[in-house]
Amino acid sequence: MTDLHSSLDRHIEDLLDVPSFPPPAAFVRQAVVTDDGVFDAAADAEEWWSEQARTRIDWATPFRTGCNDSNPPFFTWFEDGTLNASYNCLDRHVEAGRGDRVAFHWHGEEGEQRTITYAELLADVQRLANALRERGVRKGDVVGIYLPMIPEVVVAMLACARIGAPHTVVFGGFAPSSVAERLEVSNAVALITVDGARRKGRTTPTKAAVDDAIADLSDLHTVVVVRATGVTCPMTDGRDVFYDAALAAADPVCPADPMPAEHPLFLLYSSGSTAKPKGIVHTTGGYLTGVATTHSLVFDLKPDTDVFWCTADVGWITGHSYIVYGPLANGATSVMFEGAPDYPDKDIWWELIERYGVTIFYTAPTAIRACMKWGSEYPARHDLSSLRLLGTVGEPINPKAWVWYHTVIGGGRCPIVDTWWQTETGAIMISTLPGLQPAKPGSAGLPLPGVRAALLTPSGEDAGDDPGYLVLTAPWPAMLRTLHGDDQRYVETYFSTFGPRTYVVGDSARRDRDGYISIIGRIDDVINVSGHRLSTAEVESALVSHAAVAEAAAIGVHDELTGQAIVAFVTLRAGVESSAELEATLREHVAQRIGKLARPQRMIFVADLPKTRSGKIMRRLIRDVAEGRELGDVTTLGDPTVMAALQAQVVRP
Ligand code: WT7
């Protein structure tokens, strides 16, 4: 065993020096894209995307217009076409005789298994769509979804799509108050939630917890509750209904209602530079085109034979695009797993790959690092030979984790696609095409066909070999259309630096001689913890809402496992003493306000925070202190003595 391990370690060490991994011949022989003519075909991006839209999507009314760019940055795609997203994900496959194909192999936390075919999914979606309609949900009404990783979450999303009610899914890890905030700002009329959610053998009563938070929402007239765990939950007469009862009572037939291509399919709240989350708006025709195209090209999908598994939660964009809309639009078979990667044991993922014969596996670098830390003996317990392609998303992957993934999980035979994209982009934008281009560990690769990217200096020149701001210089179909109810913030956030045709991503990056793009990090106040996006302002506002706190500054610091971790610098109100107990209370307070994912890893109580003369907290300096760096420019500090005191406090254990 020891010998085996040391030889594996040695092998991994050796591979760290390999700069580039060409696609294996066996992979190329069967790949979807093996010819770089695909980039020539996309020389006219608008025509390329229009062709994808025509061939991959079924339209109720064909479109004539590709991109309407007459009012930048408010671009539209295929605006004179109509279609229904749930029709494209379900009906057309059933009509083509593929109703018995498995859409999801669902695997529950306690080992339960459910096989859900396209026909079964369609039946439930029609009933739920009718049930929502009967309760007064109309086209254009927003419906909140707060569900764990159970099949009903897919039914809920597609039922909304069927009747043109934009959904807004809130990640199950967010606190009830965050759910209420999102429902309130989106004027949601209905919520689909669950009695209780399971996590590592424990059940939390979701509905009971959410009830208080939603009590005052005046627009919310309907709450549908999935009975998933049997924990008792309060039900409000006239407002609340159980999901199973609603389905049983509903008419089984609900024809898909064609929507204009630009009808909003969903809102997804994401963190930005302020405490107020941004309601990112995605529309129907362009989004579906983007996810169907990229799911096919980047994942080399063969829908008849592949078993695809994206381990993300549906509450994030990755789950929307590559658990629900992309795979279903393409008629793929997927695995959906309710649980955590280490429950009941740390080999559960590898057990599921073996059990369901997963061929394409898509996960996050932070998860790969955790698995690497747990040890290669867990994957070694299982036969992973069904795998043929691996993917990562959410943050840069360090070469060591890349090589471990390649060697231990991929058996050295699977290409890895490092997919760069964002909630805003809707679909993958930068990646290698696995049958065509070599992978370079740590680099996402090249802009996909139809995607135009550049790296700019602050004054808008080409950054050349230097790091620069990553920008996207042409509109693409799956791009966000605006921020819900806030066109101005949309323009300011993404299009104020280089004009209305240059989308500013918010990442810095560098490009190598082959044009491969490597992401360096965020250029705004966004922290990326385990691939989850949080804003420093959100955490700070949660902290200062506690009576003991005067001021707070949250920063992201490098973390071996989670990429970044949150460190909060806190000044207390006069008369309040710092203590370990208070620290625990404040961490719990943040968990209550936002969710456990936002809990600071470390809290440092300080007498003062460094500020400019105008009173702005200088996060850059705090970051320098926290990461033990030499201090940057301190000349704008209001009170220079603050830094010495701060440094003394941080160094003290
Ligand atoms: C930010 C977007 C898109 C799904 C998950 C996160 C970072 C994303 C990569 C990658 C390096 C990446 C960027 C981006 N990011 N993918 N392959 N390599 N960084 O979605 O919450 O909208 O965050 O995640 O910083 O801007 P998100």
Side-chain angles (χ1 to χ4, degrees):
M1 209 52 186
T2 322
D3 271 1
L4 185 84
H5 277 146
S6 58
S7 83
L8 180 67
D9 285 347
R10 241 184 343 256
H11 184 59
I12 289 178
E13 289 295 322
D14 289 346
L15 288 182
L16 279 175
D17 296 329
V18 179
S20 151
F21 291 72
F27 188 90
V28 176
R29 270 198 293 281
Q30 55 76 63
V32 171
V33 185
T34 52
D35 178 354
D36 59 12
V38 67
F39 289 93
D40 300 330
D44 179 340
E46 182 181 0
E47 188 35 47
W48 155 263
W49 284 118
S50 299
E51 178 65 13
Q52 304 311 308
R54 276 190 291 269
T55 52
R56 297 181 188 274
I57 301 299
D58 279 18
W59 297 81
T61 322
F63 60 89
R64 288 162 174 282
T65 314
C67 179
N68 180 344
D69 64 350
S70 60
N71 182 29
F74 299 95
F75 303 98
T76 69
W77 284 85
F78 320 128
E79 60 184 16
D80 47 4
T82 71
L83 76 165
N84 184 284
S86 87
Y87 178 86
N88 273 279
C89 289
L90 302 172
D91 305 59
R92 61 168 173 164
H93 305 311
V94 176
E95 285 168 13
R98 294 190 291 270
D100 291 337
R101 176 173 294 178
V102 175
F104 291 104
H105 294 289
W106 180 81
H107 199 95
E109 245 212 4
E110 301 299 335
E112 305 91 334
Q113 293 175 46
R114 276 169 69 185
T115 303
I116 300 136
T117 65
Y118 276 86
E120 287 164 346
L121 206 48
L122 176 57
D124 283 1
V125 165
Q126 294 194 70
R127 283 180 183 273
L128 181 60
N130 277 328
L132 291 173
R133 262 203 189 133
E134 277 159 31
R135 277 167 182 77
V137 178
R138 299 274 163 267
K139 181 173 168 180
D141 287 348
V142 173
V143 175
I145 298 176
Y146 185 48
L147 286 170
M149 289 287 285
I150 55 177
E152 288 81 356
V153 72
V154 182
V155 177
M157 291 163 78
L158 295 177
C160 290
R162 204 161 183 87
I163 61 173
H167 54 69
T168 182
V169 182
V170 183
F171 171 56
F174 277 118
S177 56
S178 293
V179 181
E181 183 189 358
R182 285 157 172 75
L183 296 181
E184 184 174 11
V185 294
S186 62
N187 304 106
V189 301
L191 170 67
I192 305 172
T193 186
V194 70
D195 55 355
R198 307 189 292 185
R199 191 73 183 168
K200 299 199 196 186
R202 286 182 43 210
T203 300
T204 39
T206 308
K207 172 63 165 57
V210 96
D211 251 358
D212 276 347
I214 62 174
D216 297 330
L217 299 177
S218 52
D219 294 320
L220 193 78
H221 58 61
T222 297
V223 178
V224 180
V225 185
V226 178
R227 274 190 267 222
T229 58
V231 295
T232 50
C233 65
M235 296 292 277
T236 302
D237 254 357
R239 187 194 68 181
D240 301 358
V241 59
F242 283 115
Y243 173 95
D244 50 330
L247 257 63
D251 188 332
V253 181
C254 177
D257 193 1
M259 301 291 148
E262 284 294 309
H263 187 75
L265 179 60
F266 63 86
L267 316 178
L268 190 54
Y269 283 87
S270 183
S271 296
S273 293
T274 71
K276 201 176 137 209
K278 304 185 281 198
I280 290 163
V281 178
H282 281 290
T283 59
T284 307
Y287 173 78
L288 220 52
T289 301
V291 296
T293 306
T294 51
H295 184 248
S296 169
L297 299 185
V298 175
F299 295 112
D300 189 57
L301 183 78
K302 318 292 188 312
D304 297 343
T305 49
D306 274 320
V307 178
F308 181 79
W309 184 14
C310 164
T311 68
D313 190 283
V314 274
W316 306 107
I317 191 67
T318 311
H320 282 59
S321 300
Y322 300 108
I323 293 176
V324 182
Y325 289 107
L328 293 178
N330 287 336
T333 295
S334 293
V335 167
M336 182 177 184
F337 176 45
E338 182 189 27
D342 56 351
Y343 182 87
D345 201 353
K346 296 182 178 69
D347 68 338
I348 183 68
W349 277 9
W350 322 123
E351 180 186 329
L352 298 191
I353 288 175
E354 178 174 11
R355 178 185 302 259
Y356 297 110
V358 172
T359 57
I360 307 166
F361 182 67
Y362 188 34
T363 194
T366 186
I368 297 166
R369 287 192 296 268
C371 294
M372 188 167 86
K373 196 177 127 197
W374 295 335
S376 306
E377 58 268 31
Y378 293 102
R381 287 181 194 166
H382 299 280
D383 176 4
L384 305 180
S385 61
S386 59
L387 288 172
R388 64 181 194 86
L389 177 65
L390 304 173
T392 71
V393 61
E395 50 173 323
I397 180 163
N398 49 307
K400 180 108 192 243
W402 194 101
V403 167
W404 185 87
Y405 195 32
H406 186 262
T407 308
V408 177
I409 305 305
R413 76 187 172 276
C414 305
I416 297 179
V417 286
D418 177 348
T419 65
W420 177 89
W421 58 297
Q422 307 179 294
T423 307
E424 291 87 340
T425 69
I428 298 167
M429 302 296 280
I430 300 175
S431 167
T432 49
L433 292 172
L436 180 66
Q437 298 153 337
K440 300 186 189 186
S443 176
L446 296 157
L448 292 181
V451 174
R452 305 284 181 260
L455 293 174
L456 300 182
T457 65
S459 57
E461 263 117 62
D462 187 332
D465 292 339
D466 294 328
Y469 295 145
L470 179 60
V471 297
L472 302 169
T473 54
W476 64 101
M479 71 188 293
L480 80 164
R481 296 302 191 264
T482 189
L483 298 176
H484 183 68
D486 205 344
D487 285 349
Q488 198 189 332
R489 189 175 177 196
Y490 167 71
V491 176
E492 274 166 14
T493 307
Y494 307 106
F495 296 98
S496 63
T497 318
F498 302 115
R501 290 180 186 273
T502 306
Y503 170 89
V504 179
V505 158
D507 288 347
S508 62
R510 63 158 53 88
R511 182 144 49 179
D512 74 9
R513 217 171 294 151
D514 301 321
Y516 276 48
I517 295 172
S518 298
I519 304 297
I520 299 168
R522 298 286 306 188
I523 54 174
D524 52 12
D525 292 324
V526 166
I527 317 178
N528 188 332
V529 181
S530 300
H532 297 161
R533 206 208 279 198
L534 288 160
S535 89
T536 52
E538 244 174 312
V539 178
E540 288 160 8
S541 120
L543 282 168
V544 297
S545 73
H546 192 277
V549 176
E551 280 187 312
I555 56 165
V557 296
H558 176 75
D559 184 273
E560 281 288 311
L561 208 59
T562 58
Q564 283 191 301
I566 303 172
V567 174
F569 286 74
V570 173
T571 64
L572 297 171
R573 278 184 199 275
V576 182
E577 284 295 318
S578 65
S579 65
E581 213 180 343
L582 180 62
E583 173 168 352
T585 306
L586 291 179
R587 291 180 75 242
E588 192 44 38
H589 181 72
V590 175
Q592 289 286 328
R593 299 282 298 210
I594 307 176
K596 285 189 182 138
L597 69 169
R599 251 185 333 213
Q601 184 194 63
R602 207 175 143 206
M603 211 168 293
I604 299 171
F605 295 107
V606 292
D608 261 314
L609 289 171
K611 290 190 204 137
T612 60
R613 276 171 219 111
S614 61
K616 214 172 142 310
I617 294 175
M618 294 182 73
R619 273 208 195 73
R620 177 176 55 78
L621 289 183
I622 299 175
R623 226 175 278 136
D624 287 345
V625 174
E627 296 195 322
R629 268 193 306 272
E630 196 118 324
L631 290 186
D633 183 11
V634 292
T635 50
T636 51
L637 260 179
D639 174 3
T641 62
V642 169
M643 286 317 294
L646 198 64
Q647 275 177 312
Q649 269 166 301
V650 173
V651 176
R652 224 174 39 208

